[in-house]
Amino acid sequence: MVSTQQKVLACVDGSQSAASVVDYATWIAAAVDVPLQLLHTIDQAKTPALSDLSGSIGLGSQQELLDELTQVEAQRSKLLMRQGKMILDAAKARVEATSSVQVSCRQRHGSLAENLIDLEDETRVLVLGIRGESHADGQAGVGHKIESVLRSLRRPMLVVNQAFQPPKSILLAYDGSEAAEKALQMVVSSPLLKSLHCHVVFAGAKAASIAPLEKARSVLAGASVATTLHHISDDIAGCIATLQHEYDVDLTVMGAFSHGRLRDFLWGSVTGKVLENTAKPLLLLR
């Protein structure tokens, strides 16, 4: 019988961020008391070498070469699976060395986005790195898979861009919208977030910020969440980075479908602006 219990799902590969993904996923699984599943995907569609060559070589005269290529491709597939198994084993050992979280491993073929959509019903929170192994040499920028994943799934997603640090404070992007309200409610109800100091930030006209910020303060105070309110109007990227640095914020939280200047900044061009400009992990709540 297939288990339908929701899990924290951590996407691991051979990238530099894999260890941080495992650590953040372990932290979440322990906090919300759910199992953790480590996922490795093999996307051979990225390198369809055999199918491309078959058309140009000619099946009749080059059958021997095609047979050899088939064997090479089969061997390559076995090696990729073996490599993935080693990555999963190392990640599982890292979880077990630092926690008592129930952890399992899963390896699947196909694109990352396709697999995550398929596993969405089993997923409570998704954790993935800002860059995959195909961007292993990069120290900046965003992996090309991130945007398709973020736009495809409707589960909370944590995008990791730094070594793990136990969060002590969060920055909540709040504009009073329905999505922002959901994010606010999650902050006050989640065992993961409610014990952390919450910096609430509103972007826009000063006069428009008063009512939403006071509402957020009231809701958070009702849940005994320590709160600091902020208003920003210009240079949103710079202001958020300044707030993160000045108040030592460990995590940025927002509803993914809010509408406003923060939404435009954080989600409208999410990979191009937020993830490239923020130095802290980003938790998107949907």
Side-chain angles (χ1 to χ4, degrees):
M1 183 176 181
V2 177
S3 172
T4 57
Q5 182 181 16
Q6 289 193 322
K7 311 172 185 69
V8 174
L9 186 63
C11 302
V12 297
D13 57 13
S15 67
Q16 295 179 359
S17 63
S20 299
V21 168
V22 171
D23 293 344
Y24 273 100
T26 303
W27 167 65
I28 295 173
V32 300
D33 193 23
V34 298
L36 166 61
Q37 186 161 82
L38 305 166
L39 174 67
H40 178 264
T41 59
I42 301 173
D43 187 1
Q44 297 198 51
K46 292 186 300 184
T47 54
L50 184 58
S51 59
D52 290 342
L53 287 173
S54 62
S56 60
I57 291 175
L59 287 173
S61 60
Q62 303 293 340
Q63 188 59 50
E64 183 178 347
L65 177 57
L66 284 172
D67 289 344
E68 187 173 344
L69 284 170
T70 299
Q71 294 175 8
V72 169
E73 189 66 18
Q75 182 62 24
R76 175 176 175 274
S77 179
K78 290 180 181 178
L79 291 173
L80 287 173
M81 292 178 65
R82 183 179 174 186
Q83 180 191 42
K85 178 69 164 49
M86 293 173 66
I87 291 171
L88 287 170
D89 288 345
K92 184 179 180 183
R94 188 178 182 92
V95 176
E96 293 175 335
T98 59
S99 76
S100 58
V101 166
Q102 180 183 342
V103 57
S104 60
C105 298
R106 198 165 192 169
Q107 189 175 55
R108 294 176 61 122
H109 290 270
S111 75
L112 180 62
E114 290 171 347
N115 278 296
L116 293 179
I117 291 171
D118 194 38
L119 297 172
E120 186 167 12
D121 288 344
E122 303 174 27
T123 304
R124 178 160 174 176
V125 181
L126 171 67
V127 184
L128 69 170
I130 193 170
R131 287 178 292 278
E133 58 188 353
S134 59
H135 292 72
D137 297 330
Q139 298 298 319
V142 179
H144 67 277
K145 296 179 181 177
I146 288 288
E147 184 165 358
S148 62
V149 170
L150 296 182
R151 291 186 181 281
S152 298
L153 267 67
R154 308 192 67 81
R155 298 295 183 190
M157 289 171 281
L158 177 65
V159 182
V160 173
N161 58 357
Q162 66 169 29
F164 176 71
Q165 296 178 0
K168 298 178 181 176
S169 62
I170 62 173
L171 188 151
L172 171 65
Y174 183 79
D175 58 9
S177 67
E178 181 180 352
E181 290 295 336
K182 291 181 179 178
L184 177 62
Q185 291 303 319
M186 183 166 286
V187 170
V188 299
S189 62
S190 170
L192 182 70
L193 303 174
K194 64 182 302 181
S195 63
L196 307 179
H197 188 109
C198 184
H199 294 266
V200 184
V201 58
F202 180 97
K206 180 69 173 178
S209 73
I210 297 174
L213 288 179
E214 285 303 318
K215 181 178 181 180
R217 183 205 298 274
S218 176
V219 172
L220 292 164
S224 301
V225 177
T227 306
T228 304
L229 305 181
H230 305 274
H231 165 259
I232 58 177
S233 55
D234 299 316
D235 185 19
I236 296 175
C239 287
I240 286 182
T242 299
L243 288 174
Q244 289 174 335
H245 177 73
E246 183 175 352
Y247 294 95
D248 197 21
V249 171
D250 301 306
L251 190 68
T252 298
V253 182
M254 71 165 294
F257 290 111
S258 60
H259 297 280
R261 295 188 64 188
L262 276 171
R263 186 270 180 192
D264 293 340
F265 171 67
L266 291 171
W267 183 250
S269 53
V270 63
T271 57
K273 290 185 179 178
V274 181
L275 298 175
E276 285 188 355
N277 286 285
T278 183
K280 301 296 182 178
L282 175 66
L283 178 60
L284 290 167
L285 304 176
R286 310 184 69 178

